[in-house]
């Protein structure tokens, strides 16, 4: 047990040294996005939500996460994508983001969870800055996994609400 | 035999700090020339117990320092010396210094004795000066200036150790008084088989050559007077003659041989205490949060309630074992009602434990005011009203700094100098009033001064210069005054030592807001200004009325609800573009449509099908339009800010019995949000959100 653990942590260390990080990816409007798996707290299904008055459109409301009040962000709306209906298949990824003032726990509603990839961070390519659209600033970089492209999300910027 | 003293340290520190507070408060009451003996006695007693305690625990730096202070006090007490302002100032400085020393000891840090030594010099200087002035007791002078030899017999009773006393401490204290020769007698030490380790079989004779008087010697043994036979005699013979050489030498060896063992014990003490003091270290930076003093009556009532709770629980338990019939169900319901009652009582009482009189904050202000007034060369009288108003401990700790700031501000900017006051035809002594009282579910603290008031013109100019407002902004005087809470605002032309750096008022406001409180300023030129702080009594729990607004459940704090009613449509009239006002008895109540303010769809809009909850805040009443009233319940306040940010009109969230989140309505925030500003004061003014944002 112990040796297995140390092996695992060794492996993790090694991976970190080589700049390898694991990313959880999810699907939104047929595109794949990734977040650092270490920020992910849990994955929940959509549940009834309490609406916050006068909140921006992408803030759907708050839920009770075992006694903590956690806001839920509709990432589609945040990224300027058309919204869809929420159903039992809608997934909420609960992530913990470190801000300067401390960490915050926020849920993001996405279409579906996809996969976990090991990605070398240096391989990420910058987003081409052609478009004036402000949605690109939320993407930290683009990486290729096989023949797919995954957009890595800059959580600090995205969730700075 | 050796007791781990470190376990009592915390108590000692607490008591000492309390003693220092008492000393400080009483010192401020002292007016030279008309001093009250009882006041001086109180101060003396406080100093004395600090000295005694620190001596016992081996904090000699504190004990020594307190000793000189005590000497001065004693002389004043005995009427040997007239109290002067100089003395009071010196004593106050000493209190500060002691506080510093004790805090350092508590935090297990090295004590910085430079200040203490400097003060001690001053004390000694004062004490010496006295000797020259004094005529009434010339013999005293003689005693003090020449040294005498005393023979002291100290024969402790066998049980001395059991009372927690350690002769060695006394001996070392004696040694500090002067040159000490010690003879130990071990004739009563029994055979080794009968030797009991926790009894004292030794007794001593000391020859002490000292400049102190008999009283100082007796004081060393003050704590063991009843546990030992003690005689102190003045020897006629000089010190050196008094050596029955052979015995003394012999015994001396014995003393020496015994001492290392005992010394070892002492030196091991700090080592033993280390783990615990390390634990305390983190806490030391905020020592006031480590413990709380609770009246025994509060604890007793808690115990009673827990007793009742246990009985109810037993009753319910018994019922659950019986067969379920209609009668058992009735008694079950009764039992549950009782349980609810008990729980509620218990909760209220537990919360009350956290409540302390605001005096804990107020008590440090007389000193502060005195110091600042001296520095600014102003004459100030501080009035404290409502010191017994109770407030949650956490709130209290956090409100102290903002209050200090506001108070300084009043003294520095608000009050004029003596000359200016005389010129303005005012009493040369300025009055600053601190007033605390409960209002609804809030505590209100007012800081009033009768100074010059805020300089509205100057504030406006400054605000325009800082681009906080534009030159053509049309603001009332009150709105301009509120600008001082904006970041980076100071009208003082010169930066003074106390205030005027432009950081502060915005920080004050932010701190108070972080406690869910608010701060306001009102001012009248030439008459004075008033800062009003409003704070919730407690941060944790609230009685709430659940209401329905367009499918959403909101909670209105029960404490702010005046009444709930169905609207009589004939008494509603429309003022301005979209504000409805209800005439309720002799008042006009503006109607706030919650669904509109919160931007919810599908609410019932017609006034006659909805309910109006009349709430009061800041002395103003408004009616909140809701779809329906649901149940009332206690809710635990959860922060929205923790993972999100402040939502206007909402003070927090809570979790309902079914696990859903419900939002708690913040009435004053709601009024601001609605654009309705201060109704009921003079006239209704409607202000658009745009102007607010322009600020």
């Amino acid at each position: 047990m112990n040796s297995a653990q140390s092996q695992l942590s060794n492996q993790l260390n090694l991976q970190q040294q080589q700049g390898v990080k694991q990313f959880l990816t999810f699907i939104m409007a047929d595109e794949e996005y990734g977040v650092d798996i270490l920020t992910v707290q849990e994955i929940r299904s959509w549940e009834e939500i309490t609406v916050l008055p006068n909140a921006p459109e992408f803030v759907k409301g708050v839920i009770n996460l075992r006694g903590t009040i956690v806001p839920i962000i509709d990432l589609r709306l945040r990224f300027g994508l058309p919204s869809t209906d929420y159903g039992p298949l809608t997934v909420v990824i609960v992530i913990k983001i470190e801000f300067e003032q401390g960490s915050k726990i926020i849920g993001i509603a996405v279409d579906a969870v996809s996969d976990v990839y090991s990605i070398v961070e240096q391989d990420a390519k910058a987003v081409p800055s052609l478009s004036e659209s402000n949605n690109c600033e939320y993407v930290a970089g683009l990486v290729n996994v096989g023949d797919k492209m995954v957009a890595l999300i800059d959580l600090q910027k995205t969730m700075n609400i | 035999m050796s007791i781990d003293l470190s376990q009592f340290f915390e108590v000692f520190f607490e008591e000492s700090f309390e003693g220092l507070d008492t000393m400080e408060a009483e010192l401020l009451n002292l007016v030279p020339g008309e001093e009250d003996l009882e006041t001086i006695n109180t101060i003396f007693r406080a100093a004395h117990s600090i000295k005694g305690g620190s001596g016992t625990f081996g904090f000699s730096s504190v004990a020594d320092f307190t000793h000189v202070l005590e000497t001065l006090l004693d002389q004043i007490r005995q009427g040997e010396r007239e109290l002067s302002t100089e003395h009071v100032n010196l004593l106050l400085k000493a209190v500060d210094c002691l506080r510093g020393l004790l805090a350092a000891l508590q935090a297990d840090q090295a004590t910085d004795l430079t200040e203490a030594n400097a003060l001690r010099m001053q004390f000694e200087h004062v004490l010496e000066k006295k000797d020259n002035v004094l005529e009434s007791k010339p013999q005293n002078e003689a005693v003090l200036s020449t040294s005498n030899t005393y023979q002291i017999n100290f024969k402790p009773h066998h049980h001395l150790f059991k009372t927690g006393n350690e002769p060695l401490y006394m001996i070392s204290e004696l040694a500090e008084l002067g040159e000490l020769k010690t003879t130990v007698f071990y004739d009563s030490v029994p055979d080794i088989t009968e030797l009991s380790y926790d009894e004292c079989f030794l007794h001593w004779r000391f020859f002490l050559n000292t400049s102190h008087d008999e009283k100082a010697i007796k004081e060393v043994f003050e704590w063991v007077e009843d546990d030992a036979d003690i005689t102190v005699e003045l020897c006629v013979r000089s010190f050196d003659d008094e050596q029955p050489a052979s015995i003394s030498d012999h015994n001396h060896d014995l003393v020496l041989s015994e001492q290392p063992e005992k010394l070892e014990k002492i030196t091991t003490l700090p080592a033993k205490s280390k783990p615990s003091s390390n634990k305390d270290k983190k806490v030391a930076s905020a020592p006031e949060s480590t413990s709380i003093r609770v009246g025994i009556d509060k604890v007793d009532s808690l115990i009673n309630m827990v007793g009742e709770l246990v009985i109810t629980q037993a009753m319910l338990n018994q019922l659950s074992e019986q067969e379920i019939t209609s009668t058992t169900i009735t008694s079950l319901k009764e039992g549950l009602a009782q349980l609810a009652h008990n729980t509620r009582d218990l909760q209220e009482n537990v919360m009350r434990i956290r409540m302390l009189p605001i005096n804990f904050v107020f008590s440090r202000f007389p000193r502060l005011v005195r110091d600042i007034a001296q520095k600014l060369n102003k004459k100030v009288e501080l009035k404290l009203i409502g010191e017994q108003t109770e407030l949650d401990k956490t709130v209290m700790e956090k409100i102290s700094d903002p209050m200090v700031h506001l108070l300084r501000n009043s003294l520095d900017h608000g009050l004029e100098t003596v000359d200016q006051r005389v010129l303005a035809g005012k009493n040369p002594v300025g009055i600053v009033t601190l007033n605390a009282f409960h209002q609804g579910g809030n505590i209100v603290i007012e800081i009033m001064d009768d100074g010059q008031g805020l300089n509205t013109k100057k504030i406006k100019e400054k605000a325009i210069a800082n681009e906080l407002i534009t030159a053509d902004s049309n603001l009332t005087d009150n709105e301009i005054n509120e600008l001082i809470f904006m970041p980076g605002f100071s009208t003082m032309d010169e930066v003074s030592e106390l205030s005027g750096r432009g950081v502060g008022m915005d920080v004050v406001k932010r701190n108070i807001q972080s406690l869910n409180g608010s701060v306001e300023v009102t001012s009248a030129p030439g008459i004075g200004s008033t800062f009003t702080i409003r704070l919730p009594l407690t941060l944790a729990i609230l009685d709430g009325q659940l209401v329905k607004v367009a499918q959403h459940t909101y909670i209105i704090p029960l404490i702010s609800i005046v009444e709930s009613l169905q609207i009589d449509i004939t008494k509603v009239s429309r003022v301005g573009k979209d504000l409805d006002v209800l005439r309720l008895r002799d008042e006009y109540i503006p109607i706030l449509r919650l669904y509109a303010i919160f931007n919810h769809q599908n609410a019932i809009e017609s006034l006659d099908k909805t309910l109006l909850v009349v709430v009061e805040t800041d002395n103003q009443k408004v009616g909140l339009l809701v779809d329906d009233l649901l149940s009332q319940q206690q809710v635990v306040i959860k922060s929205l800010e923790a993972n999100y940010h402040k939502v206007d009109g909402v003070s927090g969230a809570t979790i309902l019995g079914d696990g859903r989140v419900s939002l708690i309505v913040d009435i004053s925030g709601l009024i601001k949000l609605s654009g309705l500003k201060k109704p009921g004061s003079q006239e209704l003014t409607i202000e658009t959100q745009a102007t607010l944002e322009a600020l």
Side-chain angles (χ1 to χ4, degrees):
Chain A
M1 173 71 194
N2 242 345
S3 70
Q5 234 170 21
S6 69
Q7 222 170 27
L8 190 71
S9 72
N10 274 343
Q11 202 183 340
L12 274 175
N13 276 340
L14 203 67
Q15 283 186 349
Q16 266 163 15
Q17 278 164 14
Q18 294 164 346
V20 178
K21 269 187 172 179
Q22 289 199 307
F23 283 81
L24 174 80
T25 61
F26 51 85
I27 310 285
M28 247 176 14
D30 300 327
E31 292 295 334
E32 204 164 352
Y33 296 86
V35 290
D36 185 347
I37 203 161
L38 293 177
T39 63
V40 177
Q41 303 289 299
E42 62 184 277
I43 299 171
R44 300 168 68 86
S45 59
W46 180 257
E47 61 192 294
E48 206 196 327
I49 209 165
T50 302
V51 177
L52 291 173
N54 300 318
E57 202 190 359
F58 58 85
V59 179
K60 300 314 287 183
V62 288
I63 58 160
N64 162 23
L65 183 75
R66 292 182 295 277
T68 314
I69 310 287
V70 173
I72 305 293
I73 310 293
D74 186 334
L75 213 56
R76 272 175 168 263
L77 291 174
R78 183 64 168 163
F79 283 3
L81 299 167
S83 163
T84 51
D85 287 340
Y86 300 103
L89 291 179
T90 310
V91 176
V92 174
I93 304 173
V94 181
I95 46 177
K96 187 175 186 178
I97 309 163
E98 299 294 334
F99 288 104
E100 274 169 28
Q101 315 92 308
S103 62
K104 287 188 173 181
I105 297 174
I106 294 174
I108 51 177
V110 299
D111 293 1
V113 171
S114 167
D115 207 340
V116 177
Y117 301 123
S118 291
I119 291 169
V120 182
E121 235 183 350
Q122 285 89 327
D123 286 358
K125 314 218 169 22
V127 187
S129 59
L130 288 173
S131 99
E132 283 287 298
S133 143
N134 61 350
N135 300 333
C136 285
E137 64 180 301
Y138 301 139
V139 177
L142 301 169
V143 281
N144 290 325
V145 178
D147 53 355
K148 285 185 292 188
M149 188 198 76
V150 174
L152 305 183
I153 293 176
D154 184 335
L155 286 173
Q156 268 85 359
K157 272 188 191 158
T158 317
M159 297 305 157
N160 199 356
I161 42 176
Chain B
M1 182 165 109
S2 81
I3 302 167
D4 184 6
L5 286 176
S6 62
Q7 58 181 311
F8 304 115
F9 282 1
E10 217 36 61
V11 180
F12 162 70
F13 285 127
E14 215 167 273
E15 281 181 359
S16 299
F17 284 125
E18 225 165 72
L20 287 174
D21 288 346
T22 319
M23 281 173 73
E24 187 169 60
E26 296 294 335
L27 278 170
L28 292 170
N29 282 339
L30 278 183
V31 184
E34 42 188 279
E35 63 266 21
D36 174 23
L37 192 64
E38 195 40 50
T39 318
I40 296 171
N41 275 334
T42 313
I43 302 169
F44 179 81
R45 276 195 297 269
H48 189 68
S49 31
I50 293 172
K51 181 186 143 184
S54 48
T56 311
F57 290 114
F59 301 131
S60 56
S61 55
V62 176
D64 293 352
F65 183 66
T66 327
H67 180 73
V68 283
L69 192 150
E70 197 193 53
T71 315
L72 176 64
L73 281 168
D74 193 35
Q75 289 180 2
I76 297 170
R77 186 169 75 143
Q78 307 284 353
E80 291 166 22
R81 178 189 297 275
E82 294 239 328
L83 182 75
S84 71
T85 324
E86 184 200 4
H87 295 150
V88 176
N89 286 342
L90 198 56
L91 286 167
L92 279 173
K93 270 190 208 156
V95 168
D96 283 345
C97 176
L98 272 176
R99 202 171 272 150
L101 285 178
L102 285 167
L105 284 169
Q106 189 179 23
D108 215 2
Q109 289 159 350
T111 46
D112 180 14
L113 289 174
T114 32
E115 200 200 336
N117 288 336
L119 269 174
R120 204 163 143 181
M121 294 280 281
Q122 285 189 39
F123 266 111
E124 273 157 12
H125 181 70
V126 168
L127 287 170
E128 272 166 31
K129 207 162 61 181
K130 131 93 195 231
D131 291 331
N132 302 334
V133 179
L134 185 91
E135 319 118 14
S136 58
K137 286 193 176 180
Q139 80 272 40
N140 203 357
E141 197 177 350
V143 171
L144 284 173
S145 54
T146 60
S147 62
N148 285 293
T149 305
Y150 292 92
Q151 180 185 342
I152 306 155
N153 285 311
F154 176 46
K155 188 172 184 185
H157 301 157
H158 288 338
H159 67 267
L160 181 79
F161 295 146
K162 290 178 181 164
T163 60
N165 287 297
E166 165 64 277
L168 195 65
Y169 287 143
M170 294 167 214
I171 296 169
S172 46
E173 204 174 322
L174 268 185
E176 278 166 26
L177 293 176
E179 205 180 329
L180 185 73
K181 296 273 176 189
T182 310
T183 317
V184 67
F185 298 93
Y186 50 91
D187 44 310
S188 55
V189 177
D191 193 67
I192 187 109
T193 50
E194 288 154 41
L195 194 67
S196 162
Y197 65 87
D198 58 355
E199 284 181 35
C200 179
F201 299 104
L202 301 174
H203 61 105
W204 290 266
R205 179 184 296 153
F206 309 103
F207 289 98
L208 178 66
N209 188 16
T210 177
S211 56
H212 294 267
D213 57 359
E214 203 175 309
K215 222 170 65 200
I217 298 170
K218 282 196 168 149
E219 218 171 70
V220 172
F221 297 105
E222 202 171 7
W223 292 49
V224 292
E225 262 171 8
D226 300 332
D227 305 309
D229 303 323
I230 303 155
T231 57
V232 181
E233 289 160 20
L234 184 62
C235 294
V236 195
R237 286 163 293 184
S238 93
F239 192 73
D240 295 316
D241 299 341
E242 181 47 50
Q243 277 196 11
S246 57
I247 307 168
S248 166
D249 279 353
H250 175 75
N251 286 332
H252 219 80
D253 285 344
L254 189 101
V255 171
L256 283 176
S257 66
E258 195 165 87
Q259 266 185 352
E261 184 215 356
K262 284 196 172 177
L263 273 176
E264 208 173 15
K265 259 176 217 143
I266 297 163
T267 45
T268 53
L269 258 181
K272 263 192 222 159
S273 69
K274 260 227 167 104
S276 69
S277 51
N278 270 347
K279 223 186 328 175
D280 294 341
K281 224 174 210 169
K282 267 179 270 161
V283 191
S285 56
E288 54 282 16
S289 58
T290 49
S291 68
I292 189 165
R293 284 201 162 206
V294 180
I296 194 83
D297 53 324
K298 285 182 181 174
V299 176
D300 281 346
S301 74
L302 269 185
I303 290 171
N304 278 340
M305 269 165 223
V306 172
E308 276 178 50
L309 198 66
V310 169
I311 295 168
T312 316
Q313 188 265 341
M315 187 184 98
L316 288 172
N317 220 12
Q318 210 172 3
L319 278 173
S320 72
E321 283 163 13
Q322 289 170 16
E323 234 174 281
I324 303 286
T325 63
S326 56
T327 39
T328 47
I329 284 182
T330 325
S331 25
L332 194 66
K333 274 184 182 160
E334 269 169 28
L336 284 173
Q338 206 172 323
L339 186 68
H341 183 78
N342 287 343
T343 319
R344 201 186 167 86
D345 277 0
L346 194 62
Q347 185 197 0
E348 264 171 25
N349 274 271
V350 172
M351 294 311 287
R352 208 170 292 153
I353 285 188
R354 295 186 54 85
M355 303 291 262
L356 294 174
I358 196 160
N359 207 6
F360 279 75
V361 180
F362 276 11
S363 61
R364 54 194 271 203
F365 290 146
R367 173 73 194 279
L368 188 82
V369 168
R370 185 180 186 276
D371 287 357
I372 296 175
Q374 260 179 6
K375 217 173 270 174
L376 294 172
N377 215 358
K378 292 179 180 177
K379 285 190 175 160
V380 185
E381 187 190 334
L382 180 70
K383 280 189 184 164
L384 300 177
I385 305 171
E387 298 122 291
Q388 293 306 317
T389 315
E390 288 198 331
L391 178 62
D392 189 283
K393 193 170 189 290
T394 330
V395 182
M396 182 127 49
E397 276 160 13
K398 290 187 179 156
I399 195 59
S400 163
D401 285 348
M403 278 187 70
V404 168
H405 203 97
L406 288 175
L407 195 63
R408 278 187 176 163
N409 218 58
S410 287
L411 291 168
D412 198 4
H413 302 318
L415 291 182
E416 313 93 326
T417 58
V418 175
D419 296 348
Q420 282 170 332
R421 286 186 72 91
V422 171
L423 216 65
K426 288 177 170 181
N427 186 338
V429 181
I431 296 174
V432 174
T433 312
L434 290 179
N435 185 13
F437 54 92
H438 283 166
Q439 189 185 61
N442 291 321
I443 182 163
V444 180
I445 304 166
E446 289 177 339
I447 300 162
M448 290 176 269
D449 66 65
D450 68 342
Q452 57 199 355
L454 295 175
N455 189 338
T456 317
K457 200 170 145 241
K458 212 166 169 185
I459 294 172
K460 194 169 179 183
E461 281 166 12
K462 183 87 180 182
I464 293 168
N466 284 1
E467 294 179 352
L468 295 170
I469 54 170
T470 53
D472 52 355
S473 302
N474 189 13
L475 297 174
T476 65
D477 283 1
N478 261 344
E479 283 164 341
I480 293 169
N481 289 341
E482 296 281 332
L483 289 175
I484 60 168
F485 293 113
M486 303 284 279
F489 200 94
S490 174
T491 55
M492 267 319 241
D493 300 324
E494 279 169 44
V495 169
S496 79
E497 191 192 338
L498 294 164
S499 44
R501 276 179 221 85
V503 286
M505 291 312 252
D506 60 317
V507 178
V508 167
K509 184 162 190 179
R510 220 173 35 237
N511 284 349
I512 293 172
Q513 277 176 343
S514 71
L515 294 168
N516 291 328
S518 65
V519 56
E520 279 165 24
V521 58
T522 53
S523 163
I527 295 170
S529 40
T530 303
F531 286 89
T532 311
I533 304 173
R534 260 164 236 282
L535 290 168
L537 278 184
T538 175
L539 300 172
I541 291 178
L542 164 139
D543 281 300
Q545 166 74 55
L546 275 60
V547 297
K548 206 173 106 187
V549 180
Q551 329 303 326
H552 304 290
T553 309
Y554 281 91
I555 292 163
I556 300 176
L558 205 56
I559 204 96
S560 49
I561 297 182
V562 182
E563 60 185 314
S564 303
L565 46 96
Q566 272 186 319
I567 299 170
D568 180 355
I569 203 86
T570 59
K571 290 188 175 162
V572 177
S573 39
R574 177 150 286 210
V575 184
K577 199 167 90 250
D578 50 9
L579 180 69
D580 290 318
V581 176
L582 172 75
R583 202 179 79 217
L584 181 66
R585 294 179 281 273
D586 286 338
E587 283 173 290
Y588 287 97
I589 313 263
I591 296 173
L592 301 185
R593 293 164 184 264
L594 269 186
Y595 67 88
I597 296 169
F598 284 158
N599 220 347
H600 290 321
Q601 311 298 320
N602 305 327
I604 309 171
E605 294 191 14
S606 72
L607 289 176
D608 50 352
K609 285 183 187 142
T610 52
L611 292 170
L612 192 71
V613 181
V614 180
V615 292
E616 185 173 14
T617 178
D618 302 359
N619 274 327
Q620 64 184 71
K621 281 184 186 169
V622 292
L624 305 180
L625 201 64
V626 300
D627 289 6
D628 202 359
L629 289 179
L630 306 171
S631 64
Q632 290 179 359
Q633 71 177 66
Q634 283 208 319
V635 296
V636 179
I637 303 172
K638 302 260 178 186
S639 155
L640 271 178
E641 277 111 290
N643 292 318
Y644 190 55
H645 53 70
K646 177 120 185 62
V647 178
D648 288 332
V650 170
S651 63
T654 193
I655 293 159
L656 300 178
D658 59 3
R660 277 184 307 145
V661 178
S662 180
L663 302 177
I664 302 163
V665 175
D666 165 22
I667 314 255
S668 21
L670 204 65
I671 292 171
K672 268 186 206 135
L673 199 61
S674 70
L676 189 74
K677 207 178 163 260
K678 289 261 169 196
S681 50
Q682 288 294 315
E683 51 179 332
L684 294 176
T685 51
I686 299 164
E687 191 179 26
T688 57
Q689 202 62 30
T691 355
L692 271 175
E693 266 154 25
L695 301 178

